[in-house]
Amino acid sequence: MTYPQGSWTGGALTARSFLKPHHVARSVFHPTWIPESLDPSVDALKKARVIAGAVAAFGVYTFVEGGFAFDEMMDNAATACVVLLFITPLTVGVMLYLWRRSGAGTVGQLREPLVRSLKLLLLFIGSALGTVLLFRMGGAFGPLGGLLVSFLGLWMAVFVIAGAYRISGNFFGTAVVHRCLPPLLASVTTWLMAIPDLVTGDLHGLGLAMGFVFILGAPVTVTGIALLEMGRLKSRYGIRLAAHPAALPPTMPPTPTPAPPPPSYAPNGSAPPQGNPYGPPTGYPHAPSAGNPYGPPPQGNPYAPGPQNPYNQPPPYNPR
């Protein structure tokens, strides 16, 4: 059981990169040690899970509330960070207990990938809470300070939103521990975010039927896609959630198919050069020409003057 090594960003960040916060978020929140998807179908399911979660988090909320309330979204982001801080380690801890009971491996074998995933979790939560704090304290620094804080807060907002997109796909890089952990954590998180509304009966001013549809739409959709993703991993690669990572078969992303060799003919359809049919025979560079009948003898022009002209003789009646 091996894990990818290397630096966090792979040297992709430069001073110029900080002009584009989404580029920085891609390097920071999807580091090089996160394994690639096993095949395009699993990657497509992962993208569908991310889109479904984003629609549930922003689109449905905006529709229910009748508009986009920025302050309310900041409060919800802070609440989601607190939930992630407790739910993610708790869910991973339960899986570690089940894997340890199976006897196929130990928790110590997973220490390095677990620490890396925990660092990514704390980095994202710290960035999100820092962004919320910047917007809350923007007016406490005067006009000029408030302008600078607003600019920094806008940069951080783009950085965190782009990072949330990356985090939703790899779920804090937990695929480096087990390939089934990201879909499992996505399902658990969406359900735990929806349960408080169900328990308290906060249906956002909607009726009972519509309230349950909007509240349960996100966890049901994300869970369905997550189950399909884990089913693909089990049927195609033998990766089961209940199996300790040490007992899983080694899996590698498919290598790209090499490009076919170039054709022996020109791409525009013209035939390759066939050689001079009037040149010397192939393989006999010193052989006489056997092609052009009008070339030099012996296969030359039959009408060229020969060695001597039979009619160019002295007249027989010319006396000496």
Side-chain angles (χ1 to χ4, degrees):
M1 181 175 54
T2 59
Y3 299 98
Q5 304 293 328
S7 64
W8 192 278
T9 62
L13 283 181
T14 61
R16 198 179 182 89
S17 301
F18 286 88
L19 297 176
K20 300 179 180 179
H22 59 286
H23 288 178
V24 181
R26 179 179 57 191
S27 299
V28 172
F29 294 117
H30 194 82
T32 56
W33 48 264
I34 293 180
E36 298 180 2
S37 297
L38 293 177
D39 61 22
S41 63
V42 175
D43 192 52
L45 289 174
K46 186 184 300 183
K47 291 180 180 178
R49 172 166 52 84
V50 173
I51 294 174
V55 170
F58 295 100
V60 174
Y61 176 82
T62 302
F63 176 79
V64 171
E65 295 296 329
F68 186 82
F70 185 77
D71 293 338
E72 189 71 19
M73 289 300 297
M74 289 291 100
D75 294 338
N76 290 342
T79 304
C81 289
V82 175
V83 172
L84 288 173
L85 183 60
F86 288 98
I87 294 305
T88 303
L90 180 62
T91 306
V92 175
V94 171
M95 293 308 305
L96 289 176
Y97 175 74
L98 296 177
W99 292 336
R100 183 174 177 271
R101 288 193 60 184
S102 67
T106 62
V107 177
Q109 294 175 281
L110 309 176
R111 182 178 293 109
E112 180 183 351
L114 286 172
V115 170
R116 289 190 172 192
S117 298
L118 181 60
K119 289 180 180 179
L120 191 56
L121 171 66
L122 296 177
L123 181 61
F124 177 76
I125 292 177
S127 301
L129 293 179
T131 303
V132 174
L133 186 62
L134 280 175
F135 281 105
R136 294 300 187 191
M137 300 178 61
F141 298 97
L144 182 59
L147 182 62
L148 294 176
V149 171
S150 298
F151 177 77
L152 180 59
L154 182 61
W155 191 96
M156 287 294 298
V158 177
F159 173 73
V160 171
I161 292 174
Y165 171 77
R166 298 290 173 180
I167 289 298
S168 299
N170 57 55
F171 225 93
F172 309 108
T174 48
V176 75
V177 181
H178 196 292
R179 293 275 185 175
C180 291
L181 273 182
L184 172 66
L185 289 170
S187 302
V188 172
T189 302
T190 52
W191 276 105
L192 290 179
M193 293 293 290
I195 285 177
D197 291 337
L198 294 175
V199 174
T200 60
D202 184 8
L203 303 179
H204 303 281
L206 300 173
L208 182 63
M210 290 300 297
F212 272 90
V213 167
F214 279 106
I215 292 174
L216 296 179
V220 169
T221 303
V222 173
T223 302
I225 298 175
L227 291 176
L228 185 59
E229 183 179 345
M230 288 190 286
R232 293 278 181 89
L233 291 173
K234 180 180 178 180
S235 61
R236 297 186 178 185
Y237 303 98
I239 299 176
R240 296 179 296 108
L241 178 62
H244 190 282
L248 294 176
T251 56
M252 293 294 292
T255 56
T257 305
S264 57
Y265 51 84
N268 59 3
S270 60
Q274 303 295 326
N276 186 0
Y278 302 107
T282 305
Y284 300 93
H286 303 291
S289 174
N292 190 353
Y294 303 102
Q299 289 84 15
N301 190 348
Y303 304 102
Q308 59 179 356
N309 189 350
Y311 303 100
N312 190 15
Q313 301 294 335
Y317 304 104
N318 186 13
R320 291 185 181 274

